[in-house]
Amino acid sequence: MRKDDFNIMSNIKIIEKLKAELVCIIGDFFKLLTKGSNIAQNAILNCISGAIIILYILADRLGYSYIAVDEEIKNKLKVGIIEEDDIEKDGKDLSRLYNYLKERD
């Protein structure tokens, strides 16, 4: 087996593991949403941050840079703002997130 073949197989294995972890985190997140205690609130934040980390790593493994992901997020937010998405109409959530991401740059 060539070294390149091993790297590809290793990368595929890591991607599959990350996908499984993401599904588990999302499942945990949905379960936690049914609870209402302060303990659940910390666990919810843990799930959200964990899912974001996994998605960034998955993007990287699939050949997308973190910057490309951030730019695509900002583009999607701009479109939602311009098209007055229901989420934007209800509480300006898209604008607030877009402004937060712009300030981070």
Side-chain angles (χ1 to χ4, degrees):
M1 185 177 288
R2 295 185 348 240
K3 184 178 179 181
D4 290 342
D5 292 339
F6 179 75
N7 288 338
I8 292 169
M9 290 180 359
S10 175
N11 198 38
I12 290 170
K13 186 176 179 180
I14 291 169
I15 289 169
E16 292 303 316
K17 182 180 177 189
L18 290 167
K19 288 170 30 182
E21 285 181 33
L22 182 61
V23 169
C24 289
I25 285 175
I26 298 300
D28 290 344
F29 176 69
F30 287 149
K31 283 189 243 176
L32 288 167
L33 289 177
T34 64
K35 300 177 182 178
S37 69
N38 289 337
I39 295 171
Q41 288 177 0
N42 292 334
I44 288 170
L45 185 57
N46 188 36
C47 286
I48 292 169
S49 60
I52 292 168
I53 290 167
I54 288 172
L55 288 168
Y56 269 96
I57 294 170
L58 268 171
D60 182 58
R61 289 285 175 162
L62 294 170
Y64 301 98
S65 70
Y66 302 142
I67 293 169
V69 173
D70 286 347
E71 290 304 314
E72 185 65 21
I73 290 170
K74 286 189 268 187
N75 290 338
K76 285 182 174 290
L77 290 168
K78 277 192 238 180
V79 169
I81 292 165
I82 291 167
E83 293 179 354
E84 297 183 339
D85 185 277
D86 289 339
I87 295 170
E88 179 65 11
K89 284 181 191 175
D90 190 45
K92 299 288 184 196
D93 295 346
L94 302 180
S95 292
R96 288 186 297 120
L97 180 55
Y98 179 77
N99 289 331
Y100 167 75
L101 292 172
K102 275 183 54 176
E103 288 174 14
R104 275 192 343 186
D105 293 340

